[in-house]
Amino acid sequence: MATLDLININKIYPNGVQAVFDFNLHIEDEEFVVFVGPSGCGKSTTLRMIAGLEDITSGDLIIDGERMNDVNPRDRDIAMVFQSYALYPHMTVYNNMAFGLQLRHMPRKEIDQLVGKAAETLGLVPFLNRYPRQLSGGQCQRVALGRAIVRNAKVFLMDEPLSNLDAKLRISMRGELIKLHKRLGCTTIYVTHDQTEAMTMGTKIVVMKDGRIQQVGTPREVYEKP
Ligand code: ADP
Ligand code: ADP
């Protein structure tokens, strides 16, 4: 649970490309915000700046009242899920989920509890001893989600997490992610180029184009305007 403020954020990559222009957004506790827009409009760049994976060229990123621009990604209480699940192929499902906690030197018993709880939430208990190559695409995506939620981070970022899944699974996972958000209650930002996905999932939709915010509102305000 967290509030975020993005204040006048600009991003210019070292090659001179400006990907984000004067981005201003307030995000309330527990919101499910969707960044939507065509490929190249700056969605991922914005998400990566929030995660600390890209420097912010100018502007301020405030989380719960604290300026985060210069805080190391590992010290931000943020979990992120990528489109490519980025699982460790040589580690079991359990170890994929436990790894981030082990890095933080958490006691074994506590790790067991947290991994067990996340695995239960995502229906992964029967698969804890499998390797990623022994799982279907949907199961791999669950493990990626599990690795993210296991830490109980206060901000949850997802970058096109469903786009590698087939259409049917993608639609059922939308519903599951909505339920997961309700259960966890963490402030969520979700990136997609798919308008239907945005409309069905978000409580607040941020429509982006050419590095700028075009529109912000509820799904109804954004998509049902006369
Ligand atoms: P989206 O997520 O909406 O597809 P991105 O944030 O990935 O958009 O990209 C926004 C713009 O920034 C695009 O023009 C893209 O080519 C450019 N861009 C993305 N990453 C880099 C990078 N590492 N170096 C230079 N330009 C980049
Ligand atoms: P999907 O049809 O969802 O893509 P798969 O056909 O890949 O799934 O797998 C179907 C079931 O078989 C899943 O429960 C998956 O975990 C299991 N499975 C797939 N490959 C292996 C494997 N190499 N070893 C054990 N179980 C596997």
mmCIF file of all heavy atoms in Angstrom, residues 113-157:
data_model
loop_
_atom_site.group_PDB
_atom_site.id
_atom_site.type_symbol
_atom_site.label_atom_id
_atom_site.label_comp_id
_atom_site.label_asym_id
_atom_site.label_seq_id
_atom_site.Cartn_x
_atom_site.Cartn_y
_atom_site.Cartn_z
ATOM 1 N N GLN A 113 7.651 -19.931 4.892
ATOM 2 C CA GLN A 113 6.273 -19.470 5.113
ATOM 3 C C GLN A 113 5.798 -18.568 3.986
ATOM 4 O O GLN A 113 4.705 -18.736 3.460
ATOM 5 C CB GLN A 113 6.183 -18.708 6.440
ATOM 6 C CG GLN A 113 6.015 -19.632 7.630
ATOM 7 C CD GLN A 113 6.118 -18.873 8.952
ATOM 8 O OE1 GLN A 113 6.336 -17.658 8.953
ATOM 9 N NE2 GLN A 113 5.970 -19.584 10.048
ATOM 10 N N LEU A 114 6.651 -17.613 3.612
ATOM 11 C CA LEU A 114 6.251 -16.649 2.580
ATOM 12 C C LEU A 114 6.081 -17.325 1.224
ATOM 13 O O LEU A 114 5.117 -17.072 0.502
ATOM 14 C CB LEU A 114 7.278 -15.512 2.490
ATOM 15 C CG LEU A 114 7.289 -14.543 3.673
ATOM 16 C CD1 LEU A 114 8.442 -13.563 3.562
ATOM 17 C CD2 LEU A 114 5.964 -13.789 3.759
ATOM 18 N N VAL A 115 7.013 -18.217 0.874
ATOM 19 C CA VAL A 115 6.910 -18.922 -0.407
ATOM 20 C C VAL A 115 5.670 -19.812 -0.398
ATOM 21 O O VAL A 115 4.914 -19.864 -1.375
ATOM 22 C CB VAL A 115 8.189 -19.740 -0.708
ATOM 23 C CG1 VAL A 115 7.995 -20.645 -1.916
ATOM 24 C CG2 VAL A 115 9.378 -18.805 -0.935
ATOM 25 N N GLY A 116 5.435 -20.473 0.727
ATOM 26 C CA GLY A 116 4.264 -21.339 0.841
ATOM 27 C C GLY A 116 2.973 -20.566 0.647
ATOM 28 O O GLY A 116 2.071 -21.003 -0.071
ATOM 29 N N LYS A 117 2.909 -19.381 1.225
ATOM 30 C CA LYS A 117 1.713 -18.574 1.137
ATOM 31 C C LYS A 117 1.487 -18.081 -0.300
ATOM 32 O O LYS A 117 0.381 -18.167 -0.828
ATOM 33 C CB LYS A 117 1.839 -17.381 2.101
ATOM 34 C CG LYS A 117 0.550 -16.648 2.324
ATOM 35 C CD LYS A 117 0.632 -15.746 3.560
ATOM 36 C CE LYS A 117 -0.386 -14.620 3.431
ATOM 37 N NZ LYS A 117 0.239 -13.296 3.344
ATOM 38 N N ALA A 118 2.561 -17.608 -0.941
ATOM 39 C CA ALA A 118 2.442 -17.133 -2.324
ATOM 40 C C ALA A 118 2.057 -18.294 -3.246
ATOM 41 O O ALA A 118 1.232 -18.147 -4.151
ATOM 42 C CB ALA A 118 3.749 -16.486 -2.775
ATOM 43 N N ALA A 119 2.662 -19.471 -3.006
ATOM 44 C CA ALA A 119 2.374 -20.641 -3.843
ATOM 45 C C ALA A 119 0.908 -21.046 -3.698
ATOM 46 O O ALA A 119 0.254 -21.418 -4.680
ATOM 47 C CB ALA A 119 3.292 -21.800 -3.457
ATOM 48 N N GLU A 120 0.390 -20.926 -2.484
ATOM 49 C CA GLU A 120 -1.009 -21.252 -2.262
ATOM 50 C C GLU A 120 -1.912 -20.270 -3.005
ATOM 51 O O GLU A 120 -2.839 -20.669 -3.703
ATOM 52 C CB GLU A 120 -1.307 -21.176 -0.769
ATOM 53 C CG GLU A 120 -1.995 -22.398 -0.227
ATOM 54 C CD GLU A 120 -1.938 -22.393 1.286
ATOM 55 O OE1 GLU A 120 -2.787 -21.720 1.887
ATOM 56 O OE2 GLU A 120 -1.021 -23.030 1.844
ATOM 57 N N THR A 121 -1.604 -18.995 -2.852
ATOM 58 C CA THR A 121 -2.392 -17.954 -3.509
ATOM 59 C C THR A 121 -2.473 -18.196 -5.019
ATOM 60 O O THR A 121 -3.501 -17.970 -5.642
ATOM 61 C CB THR A 121 -1.744 -16.572 -3.266
ATOM 62 O OG1 THR A 121 -1.716 -16.352 -1.861
ATOM 63 C CG2 THR A 121 -2.518 -15.456 -3.933
ATOM 64 N N LEU A 122 -1.367 -18.674 -5.616
ATOM 65 C CA LEU A 122 -1.292 -18.784 -7.074
ATOM 66 C C LEU A 122 -1.493 -20.218 -7.572
ATOM 67 O O LEU A 122 -1.316 -20.502 -8.757
ATOM 68 C CB LEU A 122 0.065 -18.250 -7.552
ATOM 69 C CG LEU A 122 0.219 -16.737 -7.368
ATOM 70 C CD1 LEU A 122 1.679 -16.331 -7.426
ATOM 71 C CD2 LEU A 122 -0.580 -15.985 -8.434
ATOM 72 N N GLY A 123 -1.836 -21.123 -6.687
ATOM 73 C CA GLY A 123 -2.054 -22.517 -7.104
ATOM 74 C C GLY A 123 -0.776 -23.206 -7.547
ATOM 75 O O GLY A 123 -0.785 -24.062 -8.436
ATOM 76 N N LEU A 124 0.345 -22.861 -6.936
ATOM 77 C CA LEU A 124 1.635 -23.420 -7.368
ATOM 78 C C LEU A 124 2.181 -24.492 -6.433
ATOM 79 O O LEU A 124 3.259 -25.027 -6.674
ATOM 80 C CB LEU A 124 2.670 -22.288 -7.491
ATOM 81 C CG LEU A 124 2.507 -21.363 -8.697
ATOM 82 C CD1 LEU A 124 3.447 -20.170 -8.569
ATOM 83 C CD2 LEU A 124 2.781 -22.101 -10.006
ATOM 84 N N VAL A 125 1.432 -24.821 -5.391
ATOM 85 C CA VAL A 125 1.956 -25.782 -4.413
ATOM 86 C C VAL A 125 2.408 -27.098 -5.068
ATOM 87 O O VAL A 125 3.494 -27.594 -4.764
ATOM 88 C CB VAL A 125 0.931 -26.016 -3.274
ATOM 89 C CG1 VAL A 125 1.411 -27.118 -2.335
ATOM 90 C CG2 VAL A 125 0.698 -24.718 -2.497
ATOM 91 N N PRO A 126 1.641 -27.671 -6.023
ATOM 92 C CA PRO A 126 2.079 -28.945 -6.598
ATOM 93 C C PRO A 126 3.332 -28.835 -7.464
ATOM 94 O O PRO A 126 3.894 -29.845 -7.873
ATOM 95 C CB PRO A 126 0.892 -29.370 -7.485
ATOM 96 C CG PRO A 126 -0.228 -28.474 -7.127
ATOM 97 C CD PRO A 126 0.356 -27.228 -6.558
ATOM 98 N N PHE A 127 3.751 -27.616 -7.782
ATOM 99 C CA PHE A 127 4.837 -27.449 -8.750
ATOM 100 C C PHE A 127 6.134 -26.954 -8.122
ATOM 101 O O PHE A 127 7.088 -26.634 -8.825
ATOM 102 C CB PHE A 127 4.405 -26.460 -9.850
ATOM 103 C CG PHE A 127 3.098 -26.833 -10.484
ATOM 104 C CD1 PHE A 127 1.957 -26.081 -10.241
ATOM 105 C CD2 PHE A 127 3.007 -27.951 -11.305
ATOM 106 C CE1 PHE A 127 0.743 -26.439 -10.812
ATOM 107 C CE2 PHE A 127 1.800 -28.314 -11.879
ATOM 108 C CZ PHE A 127 0.659 -27.560 -11.629
ATOM 109 N N LEU A 128 6.173 -26.872 -6.800
ATOM 110 C CA LEU A 128 7.314 -26.218 -6.142
ATOM 111 C C LEU A 128 8.664 -26.862 -6.464
ATOM 112 O O LEU A 128 9.685 -26.190 -6.469
ATOM 113 C CB LEU A 128 7.097 -26.174 -4.617
ATOM 114 C CG LEU A 128 6.081 -25.117 -4.155
ATOM 115 C CD1 LEU A 128 5.774 -25.280 -2.662
ATOM 116 C CD2 LEU A 128 6.603 -23.703 -4.429
ATOM 117 N N ASN A 129 8.651 -28.178 -6.755
ATOM 118 C CA ASN A 129 9.929 -28.841 -7.035
ATOM 119 C C ASN A 129 10.238 -28.976 -8.515
ATOM 120 O O ASN A 129 11.226 -29.592 -8.894
ATOM 121 C CB ASN A 129 9.956 -30.215 -6.373
ATOM 122 C CG ASN A 129 9.983 -30.081 -4.861
ATOM 123 O OD1 ASN A 129 10.707 -29.230 -4.327
ATOM 124 N ND2 ASN A 129 9.164 -30.869 -4.176
ATOM 125 N N ARG A 130 9.384 -28.375 -9.361
ATOM 126 C CA ARG A 130 9.647 -28.456 -10.802
ATOM 127 C C ARG A 130 10.574 -27.341 -11.247
ATOM 128 O O ARG A 130 10.705 -26.319 -10.598
ATOM 129 C CB ARG A 130 8.343 -28.334 -11.556
ATOM 130 C CG ARG A 130 7.495 -29.574 -11.418
ATOM 131 C CD ARG A 130 6.610 -29.689 -12.618
ATOM 132 N NE ARG A 130 5.571 -30.671 -12.346
ATOM 133 C CZ ARG A 130 4.483 -30.796 -13.073
ATOM 134 N NH1 ARG A 130 4.283 -29.978 -14.104
ATOM 135 N NH2 ARG A 130 3.601 -31.705 -12.786
ATOM 136 N N TYR A 131 11.153 -27.551 -12.413
ATOM 137 C CA TYR A 131 11.956 -26.518 -13.062
ATOM 138 C C TYR A 131 11.092 -25.814 -14.107
ATOM 139 O O TYR A 131 10.141 -26.406 -14.638
ATOM 140 C CB TYR A 131 13.196 -27.148 -13.705
ATOM 141 C CG TYR A 131 14.182 -27.616 -12.662
ATOM 142 C CD1 TYR A 131 14.094 -28.894 -12.122
ATOM 143 C CD2 TYR A 131 15.163 -26.757 -12.178
ATOM 144 C CE1 TYR A 131 14.969 -29.316 -11.125
ATOM 145 C CE2 TYR A 131 16.046 -27.161 -11.181
ATOM 146 C CZ TYR A 131 15.937 -28.441 -10.664
ATOM 147 O OH TYR A 131 16.798 -28.836 -9.669
ATOM 148 N N PRO A 132 11.430 -24.570 -14.436
ATOM 149 C CA PRO A 132 10.609 -23.823 -15.397
ATOM 150 C C PRO A 132 10.340 -24.593 -16.702
ATOM 151 O O PRO A 132 9.232 -24.521 -17.230
ATOM 152 C CB PRO A 132 11.436 -22.562 -15.648
ATOM 153 C CG PRO A 132 12.146 -22.323 -14.354
ATOM 154 C CD PRO A 132 12.476 -23.701 -13.845
ATOM 155 N N ARG A 133 11.305 -25.358 -17.186
ATOM 156 C CA ARG A 133 11.091 -26.071 -18.466
ATOM 157 C C ARG A 133 10.001 -27.130 -18.344
ATOM 158 O O ARG A 133 9.517 -27.641 -19.353
ATOM 159 C CB ARG A 133 12.400 -26.691 -18.970
ATOM 160 C CG ARG A 133 12.922 -27.798 -18.097
ATOM 161 C CD ARG A 133 14.110 -28.553 -18.676
ATOM 162 N NE ARG A 133 14.502 -29.613 -17.774
ATOM 163 C CZ ARG A 133 15.235 -29.443 -16.668
ATOM 164 N NH1 ARG A 133 15.679 -28.238 -16.352
ATOM 165 N NH2 ARG A 133 15.519 -30.467 -15.887
ATOM 166 N N GLN A 134 9.637 -27.488 -17.127
ATOM 167 C CA GLN A 134 8.598 -28.504 -16.912
ATOM 168 C C GLN A 134 7.228 -27.878 -16.691
ATOM 169 O O GLN A 134 6.308 -28.562 -16.268
ATOM 170 C CB GLN A 134 8.955 -29.354 -15.687
ATOM 171 C CG GLN A 134 10.273 -30.070 -15.834
ATOM 172 C CD GLN A 134 10.701 -30.748 -14.543
ATOM 173 O OE1 GLN A 134 10.633 -30.153 -13.468
ATOM 174 N NE2 GLN A 134 11.143 -31.991 -14.655
ATOM 175 N N LEU A 135 7.109 -26.598 -16.983
ATOM 176 C CA LEU A 135 5.848 -25.903 -16.747
ATOM 177 C C LEU A 135 5.287 -25.348 -18.047
ATOM 178 O O LEU A 135 6.040 -25.058 -18.989
ATOM 179 C CB LEU A 135 6.069 -24.729 -15.778
ATOM 180 C CG LEU A 135 6.629 -25.058 -14.393
ATOM 181 C CD1 LEU A 135 6.927 -23.771 -13.645
ATOM 182 C CD2 LEU A 135 5.658 -25.920 -13.606
ATOM 183 N N SER A 136 3.979 -25.165 -18.079
ATOM 184 C CA SER A 136 3.354 -24.499 -19.221
ATOM 185 C C SER A 136 3.595 -22.995 -19.117
ATOM 186 O O SER A 136 4.035 -22.485 -18.076
ATOM 187 C CB SER A 136 1.852 -24.783 -19.225
ATOM 188 O OG SER A 136 1.244 -24.155 -18.114
ATOM 189 N N GLY A 137 3.267 -22.270 -20.193
ATOM 190 C CA GLY A 137 3.452 -20.819 -20.200
ATOM 191 C C GLY A 137 2.699 -20.133 -19.071
ATOM 192 O O GLY A 137 3.223 -19.253 -18.394
ATOM 193 N N GLY A 138 1.462 -20.567 -18.866
ATOM 194 C CA GLY A 138 0.647 -19.962 -17.811
ATOM 195 C C GLY A 138 1.235 -20.211 -16.435
ATOM 196 O O GLY A 138 1.228 -19.336 -15.565
ATOM 197 N N GLN A 139 1.782 -21.404 -16.261
ATOM 198 C CA GLN A 139 2.395 -21.725 -14.963
ATOM 199 C C GLN A 139 3.663 -20.907 -14.748
ATOM 200 O O GLN A 139 3.917 -20.430 -13.633
ATOM 201 C CB GLN A 139 2.673 -23.229 -14.880
ATOM 202 C CG GLN A 139 1.384 -24.039 -14.780
ATOM 203 C CD GLN A 139 1.598 -25.511 -15.065
ATOM 204 O OE1 GLN A 139 2.584 -25.906 -15.687
ATOM 205 N NE2 GLN A 139 0.670 -26.334 -14.611
ATOM 206 N N CYS A 140 4.450 -20.727 -15.827
ATOM 207 C CA CYS A 140 5.655 -19.885 -15.700
ATOM 208 C C CYS A 140 5.259 -18.470 -15.302
ATOM 209 O O CYS A 140 5.914 -17.835 -14.471
ATOM 210 C CB CYS A 140 6.428 -19.852 -17.011
ATOM 211 S SG CYS A 140 7.323 -21.377 -17.356
ATOM 212 N N GLN A 141 4.169 -17.975 -15.893
ATOM 213 C CA GLN A 141 3.745 -16.622 -15.558
ATOM 214 C C GLN A 141 3.329 -16.536 -14.087
ATOM 215 O O GLN A 141 3.608 -15.546 -13.415
ATOM 216 C CB GLN A 141 2.606 -16.184 -16.486
ATOM 217 C CG GLN A 141 2.151 -14.761 -16.264
ATOM 218 C CD GLN A 141 3.305 -13.766 -16.290
ATOM 219 O OE1 GLN A 141 4.012 -13.597 -15.307
ATOM 220 N NE2 GLN A 141 3.513 -13.134 -17.429
ATOM 221 N N ARG A 142 2.711 -17.587 -13.592
ATOM 222 C CA ARG A 142 2.360 -17.609 -12.171
ATOM 223 C C ARG A 142 3.601 -17.579 -11.286
ATOM 224 O O ARG A 142 3.594 -16.953 -10.227
ATOM 225 C CB ARG A 142 1.597 -18.894 -11.840
ATOM 226 C CG ARG A 142 0.139 -18.786 -12.011
ATOM 227 C CD ARG A 142 -0.448 -20.182 -11.868
ATOM 228 N NE ARG A 142 -1.489 -20.308 -12.854
ATOM 229 C CZ ARG A 142 -2.704 -19.846 -12.669
ATOM 230 N NH1 ARG A 142 -3.026 -19.315 -11.522
ATOM 231 N NH2 ARG A 142 -3.596 -19.922 -13.610
ATOM 232 N N VAL A 143 4.631 -18.297 -11.706
ATOM 233 C CA VAL A 143 5.862 -18.299 -10.904
ATOM 234 C C VAL A 143 6.461 -16.882 -10.889
ATOM 235 O O VAL A 143 6.908 -16.389 -9.846
ATOM 236 C CB VAL A 143 6.897 -19.315 -11.441
ATOM 237 C CG1 VAL A 143 8.172 -19.268 -10.606
ATOM 238 C CG2 VAL A 143 6.309 -20.724 -11.439
ATOM 239 N N ALA A 144 6.423 -16.220 -12.059
ATOM 240 C CA ALA A 144 6.928 -14.840 -12.114
ATOM 241 C C ALA A 144 6.123 -13.945 -11.172
ATOM 242 O O ALA A 144 6.676 -13.103 -10.460
ATOM 243 C CB ALA A 144 6.869 -14.317 -13.545
ATOM 244 N N LEU A 145 4.812 -14.152 -11.142
ATOM 245 C CA LEU A 145 3.966 -13.392 -10.215
ATOM 246 C C LEU A 145 4.311 -13.742 -8.771
ATOM 247 O O LEU A 145 4.398 -12.877 -7.914
ATOM 248 C CB LEU A 145 2.488 -13.701 -10.468
ATOM 249 C CG LEU A 145 1.870 -13.122 -11.728
ATOM 250 C CD1 LEU A 145 0.502 -13.768 -11.983
ATOM 251 C CD2 LEU A 145 1.718 -11.610 -11.609
ATOM 252 N N GLY A 146 4.516 -15.039 -8.535
ATOM 253 C CA GLY A 146 4.836 -15.507 -7.188
ATOM 254 C C GLY A 146 6.119 -14.879 -6.685
ATOM 255 O O GLY A 146 6.209 -14.438 -5.532
ATOM 256 N N ARG A 147 7.109 -14.825 -7.567
ATOM 257 C CA ARG A 147 8.382 -14.233 -7.175
ATOM 258 C C ARG A 147 8.205 -12.759 -6.802
ATOM 259 O O ARG A 147 8.905 -12.237 -5.945
ATOM 260 C CB ARG A 147 9.357 -14.374 -8.353
ATOM 261 C CG ARG A 147 10.774 -14.407 -7.921
ATOM 262 C CD ARG A 147 11.676 -14.767 -9.054
ATOM 263 N NE ARG A 147 11.360 -14.019 -10.252
ATOM 264 C CZ ARG A 147 12.037 -14.137 -11.381
ATOM 265 N NH1 ARG A 147 13.036 -14.971 -11.470
ATOM 266 N NH2 ARG A 147 11.707 -13.415 -12.418
ATOM 267 N N ALA A 148 7.252 -12.116 -7.479
ATOM 268 C CA ALA A 148 7.018 -10.698 -7.191
ATOM 269 C C ALA A 148 6.219 -10.506 -5.896
ATOM 270 O O ALA A 148 6.554 -9.652 -5.086
ATOM 271 C CB ALA A 148 6.304 -10.039 -8.364
ATOM 272 N N ILE A 149 5.180 -11.325 -5.680
ATOM 273 C CA ILE A 149 4.300 -11.052 -4.529
ATOM 274 C C ILE A 149 4.864 -11.584 -3.215
ATOM 275 O O ILE A 149 4.427 -11.183 -2.153
ATOM 276 C CB ILE A 149 2.861 -11.606 -4.707
ATOM 277 C CG1 ILE A 149 2.837 -13.127 -4.725
ATOM 278 C CG2 ILE A 149 2.213 -11.018 -5.946
ATOM 279 C CD1 ILE A 149 1.424 -13.699 -4.622
ATOM 280 N N VAL A 150 5.850 -12.479 -3.317
ATOM 281 C CA VAL A 150 6.337 -13.147 -2.117
ATOM 282 C C VAL A 150 6.891 -12.153 -1.090
ATOM 283 O O VAL A 150 6.847 -12.388 0.110
ATOM 284 C CB VAL A 150 7.376 -14.226 -2.525
ATOM 285 C CG1 VAL A 150 8.717 -13.607 -2.866
ATOM 286 C CG2 VAL A 150 7.515 -15.277 -1.469
ATOM 287 N N ARG A 151 7.381 -11.020 -1.562
ATOM 288 C CA ARG A 151 7.990 -10.043 -0.652
ATOM 289 C C ARG A 151 6.984 -9.101 -0.008
ATOM 290 O O ARG A 151 7.351 -8.254 0.791
ATOM 291 C CB ARG A 151 8.999 -9.179 -1.420
ATOM 292 C CG ARG A 151 10.281 -9.888 -1.714
ATOM 293 C CD ARG A 151 11.383 -8.899 -2.040
ATOM 294 N NE ARG A 151 11.165 -8.201 -3.288
ATOM 295 C CZ ARG A 151 10.984 -6.897 -3.392
ATOM 296 N NH1 ARG A 151 10.957 -6.138 -2.323
ATOM 297 N NH2 ARG A 151 10.813 -6.349 -4.574
ATOM 298 N N ASN A 152 5.717 -9.189 -0.409
ATOM 299 C CA ASN A 152 4.718 -8.243 0.106
ATOM 300 C C ASN A 152 5.148 -6.795 -0.109
ATOM 301 O O ASN A 152 5.027 -5.969 0.798
ATOM 302 C CB ASN A 152 4.470 -8.456 1.603
ATOM 303 C CG ASN A 152 3.870 -9.807 1.883
ATOM 304 O OD1 ASN A 152 2.977 -10.249 1.153
ATOM 305 N ND2 ASN A 152 4.358 -10.490 2.893
ATOM 306 N N ALA A 153 5.664 -6.496 -1.284
ATOM 307 C CA ALA A 153 6.095 -5.124 -1.568
ATOM 308 C C ALA A 153 4.880 -4.203 -1.577
ATOM 309 O O ALA A 153 3.762 -4.644 -1.810
ATOM 310 C CB ALA A 153 6.801 -5.073 -2.925
ATOM 311 N N LYS A 154 5.110 -2.917 -1.330
ATOM 312 C CA LYS A 154 3.954 -2.016 -1.271
ATOM 313 C C LYS A 154 3.541 -1.503 -2.649
ATOM 314 O O LYS A 154 2.440 -0.992 -2.797
ATOM 315 C CB LYS A 154 4.194 -0.875 -0.279
ATOM 316 C CG LYS A 154 5.332 0.047 -0.582
ATOM 317 C CD LYS A 154 5.482 1.060 0.560
ATOM 318 C CE LYS A 154 6.620 2.019 0.282
ATOM 319 N NZ LYS A 154 6.844 2.935 1.402
ATOM 320 N N VAL A 155 4.425 -1.654 -3.639
ATOM 321 C CA VAL A 155 4.079 -1.270 -5.011
ATOM 322 C C VAL A 155 4.357 -2.455 -5.926
ATOM 323 O O VAL A 155 5.392 -3.111 -5.814
ATOM 324 C CB VAL A 155 4.908 -0.053 -5.490
ATOM 325 C CG1 VAL A 155 4.522 0.331 -6.908
ATOM 326 C CG2 VAL A 155 4.729 1.139 -4.546
ATOM 327 N N PHE A 156 3.427 -2.712 -6.825
ATOM 328 C CA PHE A 156 3.510 -3.869 -7.704
ATOM 329 C C PHE A 156 3.442 -3.361 -9.148
ATOM 330 O O PHE A 156 2.453 -2.729 -9.537
ATOM 331 C CB PHE A 156 2.329 -4.784 -7.378
ATOM 332 C CG PHE A 156 2.384 -6.154 -7.989
ATOM 333 C CD1 PHE A 156 3.560 -6.710 -8.456
ATOM 334 C CD2 PHE A 156 1.219 -6.908 -8.074
ATOM 335 C CE1 PHE A 156 3.597 -7.983 -8.998
ATOM 336 C CE2 PHE A 156 1.236 -8.188 -8.615
ATOM 337 C CZ PHE A 156 2.431 -8.722 -9.072
ATOM 338 N N LEU A 157 4.498 -3.600 -9.925
ATOM 339 C CA LEU A 157 4.556 -3.117 -11.306
ATOM 340 C C LEU A 157 4.512 -4.300 -12.262
ATOM 341 O O LEU A 157 5.223 -5.286 -12.070
ATOM 342 C CB LEU A 157 5.855 -2.332 -11.545
ATOM 343 C CG LEU A 157 6.172 -1.197 -10.568
ATOM 344 C CD1 LEU A 157 7.514 -0.563 -10.922
ATOM 345 C CD2 LEU A 157 5.066 -0.146 -10.580
#
